Amino acid sequence: MRSRFALSLTLLALTASLTGALAGPGGNAGSVSGTVTFTGTPPKMRPIDMSKEPSCAAQHATPLMNETIVSGPGNTVQNAVVYISAGDQPSAAPTQTVRYDQKGCEYLPHVLVMHAGQPLEIYNDDQTSHNIHPLARTNPEWNKSQPPGSPAIKATYAQPEFIPVKCNIHPWMHGYFVVLNTTHGVATGNDGKFSIAGLPPGKYTVTAWHEKFGTLSQEIEITGSSAATANFAFKALPY
Amino acid sequence: MTDWSVKRWRTLLLLSGSLGLATNLAAMGPAGDLERARYAMYVASLGGVVSTPTEYAGDMHANAAIPAFARKYNMPCSACHTAWPELNAFGQRFRDRGYQLGNDRDSPIWVNPSYIPFAIRTTPGWRMERTTNQPVDAGLGTTEKTITQSGFDISGADLLMMGTLYKNITFGFVPTIADGEGVGIEAAFVRFDNLFRSTWANLKVGKFEMDNMLSEKRGMMLSSNGAFYQSYHFVAPGDGTTFGLGDNQIGAEWQGHSDNSYTRLTLAVLGGVDGTPGLPEGKSYDGMFAASQAFDMGNLGLQRIGLYGYLGHRPTSFETVGGEPVPGTGTDNKPFSRFGAVGDFFLGNLELIPLVMHASDDKDLAGGTQDATWNSGLLEVHYYVSPQLVFTQRSEIIRMSQQALPSIPDHKGNIDAFTFGYRWYPIMFSRAGLAMVGELSFTKTIGTMPLSGDGVGLDPLTDDTAVKSTSLLIAFDFDF
Amino acid sequence: MQRIFLRGCAAGFGLLLSAAGVLAAQAQSVSHVGNLTGNAAAGAREYRRYCVGCHGQAGDGLGENAMWVDPRPRDFTAAVFKCRSTPTGTLPTDDDLYRSVTRGFVTTNMPSWEPLTRQARANVVAYIKTFSSRWSQGPGTPIPVPPETPATMESILHGRQLFQSMECWKCHGAAGHGDGPSASTLTDSKDNPIRPYNFASGSRFKCGDSNADLYRVFMTGLDGTPMPSFADNIQPNDAWDLVHFLRTLQPMPSPEAALWQAWLPGHAGELKPIGPD
């Protein structure tokens, strides 16, 4: 009796997964999107004094502001990374290179999202030397000098990690490498919006990370090719 | 038994002016105890403190483990010591460098000004001393009894002040306090390190422990009998030579060592005063040498072998005033010597320290018609269960090979000594140290009063008597 | 009942296996230094005696003395090491670690442990490698160090140009006094303040005294500190030129400094000052 029940359950599960697999182009059509905002009062950002590096100071008509918190109209959060932290299938590293620029003594983009094992290229577009010093813990920490005009530095990170990046010569320069083990991750722009597509049906945990505000997670479920919504509202404190 | 009754006997002797008062004194010969007593009186009158071996080894543990160094350099005791106070190879090099690590931060200017190079060591506890065949009054005569003393007791304290005055200028100052004896100065020296920028040229001047590979001041035992290296203090029966290889001497020492201190050479010129200040003797000088070489034996550990020798002189006559000798005017020097070899071997956690010595005192110093010579040997074993627990054992023998007088029996003065002990360190810390000590020590001496241990301080009634002295110690040895 | 018993046995056995695995990993950690093989089990005993006071029971640089020590003791769990012969971001070789233990780090609380037997030092190296799982990847490949070029004035002057163009002066200062524009803001990877090396101080280099050691400092970088690797930017022979110039900044006598002192009085006017263009 018991074994027959088990058999029918197994058949049912098989059918369901086959149906899912044979769903055709709609099989990966699920998506999740939303907006990342904050409530409360965040700390004030201050202008950066670049007088020690005149060639960079000259590139900013108005002084660059500290980029720890960058927000847009409606208290939207820029430079938050929203990604699928659970429920995703293992994925191979894309072969497409991601690019990190040092321009005007600023890291562009401030937060760079990449997949573990994805090739990374770091460019120095300035007239001054920079040293690129990603402070990895799980991945190896390295520190390389990059004089102006030198070729791009190539690197990859094998382990998922949130890696602060700094330049020791220019102490105001801060950025992040966000190394994920999924391709389903994106950084928000000034409007705080994100959209992650290509999700097969299933249950997922979506996580929003910000260097200052911390992390928030939500569970979503994709059925068929549904477009789920997940909004994140960080609590901001003035310090 | 405190030494006041010994002093009483000595004073009686002096006042009576006669020598062979009691039968138990006759066998010692004319020069023996009288000379010693006379010497002690003069030293006392000059304000110096004579170290009396019958005290609970209070003055035995100077120059010991120094937590001030741990504070200055932020290291636990185990870094420099196998089990404090004994030094390991790293600590030996630190010491040879003049208590400097050689990291360009040794000059005291680099240390917070509130750091004072000061440490204290003392050892309270409970002890028992038992000595057999001690002459005591019985009616109008004398009989022999076993004297046992026991109870809680404190040791003296050593104030250890050692460090650098400046880069490559080292100092040491160790006053020692013993209740009833006042304050003595165990060590006071300045050392110029790495002269001519060479590790082979270091000059120390003052009062200091000689470069004995087996250091009594950094010894692992503390009981009356156990803390005492018989070989380092023994003189023949009737011999009045004031000398102990384990006593701190006053003089100048040149020391050289290889960069890792595996090779060490020492030459010293010392006053012939056995470390007593005030120029009490003559104008003669003693010489000491020591040399050792260590070998890296991989998994076994470091093995070291050494040779040492001491050649000394003591005056046999003084100018007198009113019959009393005038200090500093000693002449008619006669020589004495101590030579030997010593090893320090590691078999993993087991350390073996053998030492052999041949000693010879000139007949005039020995108070007889021929030179007094003797040989001694000891084997000390340490087993380090961990940096916080060590078991120790020592076996030592002294055998007279020639007595000063043919009338003195061959075996008189011979010593057999055994000690068993442990030291357990409940904390192994970078600021202070504590050791719980247990020790049992036996000494057997033929025909003379025991050199170590308590007892009444007199020879037994016959030359054949084997006097047995036993010490039992349970104590807390702490060090701040 | 029997099934539960079997399951219990299986779980217990599994636990035993994993514990044995840990111990085995520790016991298996070996080091190879010259013809010596150090083993971690013996190294653990040496570590307890000599190292734990600063580097901590867990090897995390949080020993009882750590709060009083500047620079802080190394955190072995991070597996980031300053003095290496291998490229930045890679682990040092056993030999690098052995030399660091033997040499110590001048001006710091880390003494030279040379009086310890060679075997003891090799054992400690093996034990240090048990503090981080990253050691399973093995050390990096030592960078090739070509034979040193002759120390000529040409070499020294070219080295001086490199000091300018590589912007060493931004941290180390125009005269190498450790007072460059960025010097006061430097922090190490644990956010502790750190000063760049002051060539005029007269202290020896922490990673070794020889020209080859100095070569490796800037060609492998000092991981964990702001000092980067210039291996991608300086050619090996040019690196020797920089080494020769850096020696002229130090007060200790050296052939390069002697050459420089002899040349300088007659030619000082020819030198373009080091600093912002």
Side-chain angles (χ1 to χ4, degrees), chain B residues 318-335:
Chain B
F318 286 79
E319 300 290 347
T320 60
V321 65
E324 305 306 323
V326 176
T329 63
T331 50
D332 292 336
N333 294 325
K334 299 296 178 199

Side-chain angles (χ1 to χ4, degrees), chain B residues 195-465:
Chain B
L195 294 165
F196 317 115
R197 292 171 164 242
S198 167
T199 56
W200 293 100
N202 303 280
L203 179 66
K204 180 155 62 173
V205 177
K207 181 172 178 181
F208 47 84
E209 183 191 15
M210 290 192 292
D211 195 18
N212 298 323
M213 214 171 101
L214 177 59
S215 160
E216 190 174 51
K217 294 296 185 288
R218 288 186 302 279
M220 298 287 265
M221 286 114 172
L222 289 175
S223 62
S224 289
N225 279 301
F228 202 84
Y229 286 116
Q230 309 285 340
S231 308
Y232 281 175
H233 297 279
F234 180 79
V235 286
D239 190 335
T241 309
T242 49
F243 174 71
L245 200 64
D247 293 337
N248 285 12
Q249 308 289 331
I250 308 183
E253 174 190 276
W254 168 82
Q255 202 243 332
H257 62 97
S258 62
D259 201 54
N260 58 4
S261 279
Y262 280 14
T263 310
R264 306 180 67 251
L265 282 173
T266 307
L267 287 173
V269 172
L270 307 153
V273 294
D274 200 32
T276 310
L279 308 174
E281 295 271 4
K283 289 177 276 290
S284 63
Y285 295 96
D286 297 350
M288 191 264 187
F289 86 89
S292 71
Q293 175 66 53
F295 301 92
D296 177 341
M297 298 277 250
N299 272 316
L300 279 181
L302 207 62
Q303 321 300 331
R304 188 180 281 276
I305 55 172
L307 298 170
Y308 64 91
Y310 193 100
L311 182 62
H313 304 87
R314 291 289 182 270
T316 52
S317 66
F318 286 79
E319 300 290 347
T320 60
V321 65
E324 305 306 323
V326 176
T329 63
T331 50
D332 292 336
N333 294 325
K334 299 296 178 199
F336 65 91
S337 65
R338 309 279 185 269
F339 290 98
V342 55
D344 188 5
F345 304 114
F346 279 91
L347 305 170
N349 288 335
L350 186 69
E351 183 181 14
L352 301 166
I353 309 174
L355 182 144
V356 292
M357 180 190 295
H358 175 76
S360 170
D361 283 5
D362 182 87
K363 60 184 193 311
D364 293 325
L365 294 178
T369 56
Q370 51 194 18
D371 292 351
T373 62
W374 63 91
N375 299 300
S376 72
L378 70 86
L379 177 65
E380 188 163 319
V381 180
H382 304 154
Y383 182 68
Y384 300 93
V385 175
S386 77
Q388 291 178 241
L389 177 59
V390 59
F391 292 100
T392 57
Q393 196 277 322
R394 181 168 71 239
S395 311
E396 186 170 12
I397 63 168
I398 299 187
R399 294 290 180 265
M400 292 298 304
S401 59
Q402 180 172 280
Q403 301 281 3
L405 287 169
S407 58
I408 300 177
D410 285 345
H411 57 256
K412 181 169 174 180
N414 286 357
I415 293 177
D416 292 29
F418 302 93
T419 308
F420 301 85
Y422 72 88
R423 290 177 66 87
W424 173 51
Y425 304 83
I427 53 169
M428 186 47 65
F429 196 42
S430 304
R431 293 293 179 270
L434 172 67
M436 310 214 329
V437 172
E439 204 171 301
L440 180 61
S441 182
F442 309 98
T443 307
K444 182 180 82 169
T445 317
I446 312 282
T448 63
M449 70 178 184
L451 205 52
S452 62
D454 287 12
V456 306
L458 292 175
D459 285 353
L461 297 178
T462 67
D463 284 343
D464 289 324
T465 312

Side-chain angles (χ1 to χ4, degrees), chain B residues 80-96:
Chain B
C80 288
H81 296 274
T82 53
W84 65 264
E86 180 179 285
L87 291 172
N88 61 29
F90 180 74
Q92 181 67 61
R93 186 179 68 165
F94 176 72
R95 184 169 185 270
D96 285 347

Side-chain angles (χ1 to χ4, degrees), chain C residues 156 244 247-262:
Chain C
I156 292 172
H244 296 145
R247 285 295 188 198
T248 68
L249 298 175
Q250 291 188 297
M252 299 87 104
S254 63
E256 298 88 351
L259 263 178
W260 177 259
Q261 294 305 326

